[in-house]
Amino acid sequence: MIGGTSQIAQPVDETATPPERTSPLGLEQYIAGRTLVSGDGPAWNDMFVQVYSRRNEQDPFLVPAVVEPLIVWVISGAAIVEERELDRGWVANTVTVGDFFLTRSPTPYEMRWRATGAAPFQVMHLYLSIPLFERVAKDVLGCDAPPALREISGGKDEQLSHLLALIHQELVAEGKGSQLFLQGLAQSLAVHLIRNYASNDTGRQTTLPGFKLRRAVAYLEEHLAEPFNLAKLSETVGMSEFHFSRLFKKATGISPSRSFIRQRVARAQLLLQETDTSIIEIGMSVGYSSPSHFAQVFRRETGLPPSHYRRG
């Protein structure tokens, strides 16, 4: 035992068939890798915390739903992590130390990843207990039922990382963890999640509201000169990346990235017709530093190179 924790080196049973729902303790038998450290004892009543070493490359697998709020925090290495709702397209996030995932998904979803770099890919999982989450929600929001949380994939949050680092230090420290200290950290963590990540949605959306679609399109128009950033775009409308992508495509018929390219080309068409700005400058103004790349994209979308389009 180390600091009220247990050291475990236990491989997953890859023959197990994942159920649709499971518990925090049961989830790990469906995710490949080794459990390195696990919170144990009465000091850890308000949260269930474990540290895992993951495979460098993981094939797609089904992640069962877990009712407790789950934070996955990257503590070592970097990886390209992909997620998707069942039978939907993959959404990728490149994550490194300090990045986090937040989920309280009511339904199973799929994941896969590929580690990058030499450092081992290790993560800390933290589940907050439902009684604690309900107590804090009532104190902060005055409601009996705790709110839904927004799903975050590959997010960055300095305050959250500070709290998680303190919990991790307590997890691996010599001697038993301080129950009062850990209770305070768990309560602070719950308050932070409710204040910053509570969702305004009463249920899982099946359509993209018009105001969110307009906000997303406006955001793309304002950032045409910058690289496409799905994380910032989905954050702008307060949704998870893979959920937003699915609903955006359902509403428009194309993906957010495809819509971004079309808006770039539409802006370029306008500038080519209504200004004398050089083709190189127009390409740069809509995010293409390479004239040849700009010409290639423009021709693919319009059927003409920029010079021919300008001549009309």
Side-chain angles (χ1 to χ4, degrees):
M1 300 287 290
I2 298 180
T5 66
S6 56
Q7 295 281 348
I8 307 171
Q10 184 174 341
V12 69
D13 178 7
E14 298 186 56
T15 63
T17 301
E20 288 195 0
R21 300 177 68 87
T22 188
S23 66
L25 185 61
L27 180 64
E28 279 313 301
Q29 65 180 300
Y30 306 108
I31 306 180
R34 291 186 303 124
T35 306
L36 302 179
V37 186
S38 181
D40 192 16
W44 298 89
N45 284 342
D46 286 331
M47 51 187 168
F48 179 73
V49 184
Q50 290 185 305
V51 173
Y52 306 104
S53 180
R54 296 303 188 201
R55 286 178 170 174
N56 287 338
E57 189 163 352
Q58 174 62 55
D59 292 332
F61 67 98
L62 187 69
V63 183
V66 176
V67 67
E68 288 84 357
L70 165 63
I71 300 171
V72 179
W73 187 49
V74 181
I75 61 175
S76 173
I80 300 172
V81 179
E82 295 181 276
E83 304 168 286
R84 70 174 179 181
E85 297 183 24
L86 302 185
D87 301 322
R88 302 293 179 178
W90 291 99
V91 174
N93 289 278
T94 299
V95 297
T96 187
V97 174
D99 293 347
F100 77 100
F101 294 78
L102 171 64
T103 185
R104 197 183 182 190
S105 176
T107 58
Y109 60 98
E110 284 189 290
M111 285 189 72
R112 64 186 181 191
W113 63 77
R114 175 173 56 83
T116 58
F121 185 43
Q122 297 179 350
V123 296
M124 184 173 82
H125 281 206
L126 186 150
Y127 301 85
L128 284 173
S129 75
I130 295 299
L132 170 67
F133 199 59
E134 290 177 342
R135 291 198 306 270
V136 172
K138 187 170 186 177
D139 179 72
V140 174
L141 302 177
C143 58
D144 293 328
L149 295 176
R150 291 188 288 119
E151 295 174 5
I152 306 295
S153 298
K156 299 180 185 295
D157 184 328
E158 290 186 5
Q159 186 174 353
L160 179 67
S161 286
H162 177 66
L163 292 170
L164 295 173
L166 291 174
I167 292 169
H168 181 258
Q169 290 173 13
E170 198 72 4
L171 185 67
V172 300
E174 294 290 340
K176 290 187 176 182
S178 166
Q179 185 168 2
L180 287 176
F181 184 50
L182 287 169
Q183 285 176 344
L185 289 174
Q187 291 171 5
S188 298
L189 188 60
V191 170
H192 183 76
L193 293 180
I194 290 172
R195 283 180 174 175
N196 294 278
Y197 299 105
S199 172
N200 293 325
D201 299 331
T202 56
R204 193 162 184 82
Q205 294 176 344
T206 58
T207 59
L208 187 63
F211 77 93
K212 290 194 174 186
L213 178 59
R214 292 190 294 272
R215 187 183 301 169
V217 171
Y219 180 89
L220 291 176
E221 290 177 347
E222 293 169 3
H223 296 82
L224 291 180
E226 302 171 11
F228 177 73
N229 190 320
L230 180 61
K232 288 186 178 179
L233 178 60
S234 56
E235 182 179 352
T236 298
V237 297
M239 299 174 69
S240 72
E241 292 176 38
F242 64 88
H243 192 48
F244 167 74
S245 295
R246 181 173 70 85
L247 296 187
F248 185 97
K249 187 170 184 178
K250 183 178 179 181
T252 66
I254 57 176
S255 67
S257 59
R258 184 70 175 169
S259 177
F260 184 62
I261 291 171
R262 288 188 177 180
Q263 286 181 247
R264 278 181 162 181
V265 171
R267 175 74 61 81
Q269 287 176 298
L270 183 66
L271 294 173
L272 286 167
Q273 290 294 327
E274 297 185 1
T275 74
D276 294 323
T277 306
S278 72
I279 291 175
I280 292 177
E281 289 177 311
I282 289 175
M284 293 182 66
S285 73
V286 293
Y288 297 101
S289 58
S290 166
S292 61
H293 187 205
F294 169 58
Q296 179 186 14
V297 173
F298 190 95
R299 183 166 189 165
R300 185 187 69 207
E301 294 297 317
T302 67
L304 293 171
S307 58
H308 290 187
Y309 184 86
R310 168 165 271 175
R311 291 199 298 265

